[in-house]
Every structure is written in C-alpha cells, then in structure tokens.
C-alpha cells in the first residue's frame, strides 16, 4: 500500500510536469527545470514510472545514451535515482566494464 508521502510526491511530480509543459515556451526559464524536477520525483517515488522509463531507454538507445550522459553530470543522489531506470542489459555492461 502506498503511503501518504508517496502519493503526495507523485502528485507534486505531476504538478511539476504539467507546470513545466505549460511554461516551457515562456521567456522565463522555468519550464525545463520543472520538467526535470517532475521526472526526478516520478522516478524516485513511482515504481510504475521507473518501469516505463526503463522500457523507454531499452527501446530507444538515443534516450539511454542521453540519460547516461546526464547521470554522470548530476549530483550523486540524483544520479543514483536515474541509474535505477537503466535497462538490465546496460547495467550488466557497465558493471562488467567497471570491474576491469
């Protein structure tokens, strides 16, 4: 059963995504940060979203390469959350490479 905190965070994530979509074309740069925050919160608090993004990364390698690029450039905690959406095949490749 989902907790109240989880439901609140998913609702906040959806609010950020909708707000980001509405304001992305405005000259004030609020759209992209809101979209990024909403995506991060969805990944962190929704297992269904993690599965959907993992599937998206598996089907479209371009998206996967961009997410790997982002994972390396954000903070450790954000990168750790984004790495949970890596497709299984990609996780095996990177873990074998890091062992030497």
């Amino acid at each position: 059963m989902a907790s109240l905190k989880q439901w609140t965070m998913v609702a906040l994530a959806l609010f950020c995504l909708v707000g980001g979509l509405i304001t992305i074309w405005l000259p004030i740069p609020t759209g992209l940060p809101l979209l990024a925050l909403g995506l991060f919160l969805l990944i962190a608090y929704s297992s269904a979203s993690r599965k959907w993004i993992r599937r998206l990364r598996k089907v479209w390698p371009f998206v996967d390469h961009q997410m790997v690029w982002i994972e390396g450039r954000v903070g450790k905690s954000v990168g750790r959350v984004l790495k949970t959406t890596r497709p299984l095949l990609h996780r095996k490749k990177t873990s074998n490479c890091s062992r030497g």
Side-chain angles (χ1 to χ4, degrees), residues 17 38-40 42-44 46-60 63-64 67 81-82 84-87:
L17 287 172
L39 184 63
F40 170 76
L42 271 180
I43 291 170
S46 172
S47 61
S49 296
R50 274 192 300 277
K51 289 176 188 175
W52 184 80
I53 292 172
R54 190 175 298 127
R55 201 171 318 125
L56 180 78
R57 288 178 71 167
K58 184 178 179 181
V59 171
W60 290 342
V63 174
D64 186 43
M67 291 288 281
V81 170
L82 293 178
T84 63
T85 64
R86 283 187 177 179

Side-chain angles (χ1 to χ4, degrees), residues 20-35:
L21 286 174
I22 291 171
T23 61
I24 198 156
W25 293 279
L26 294 178
I28 302 169
T30 58
L32 195 57
L34 282 174
L35 287 171

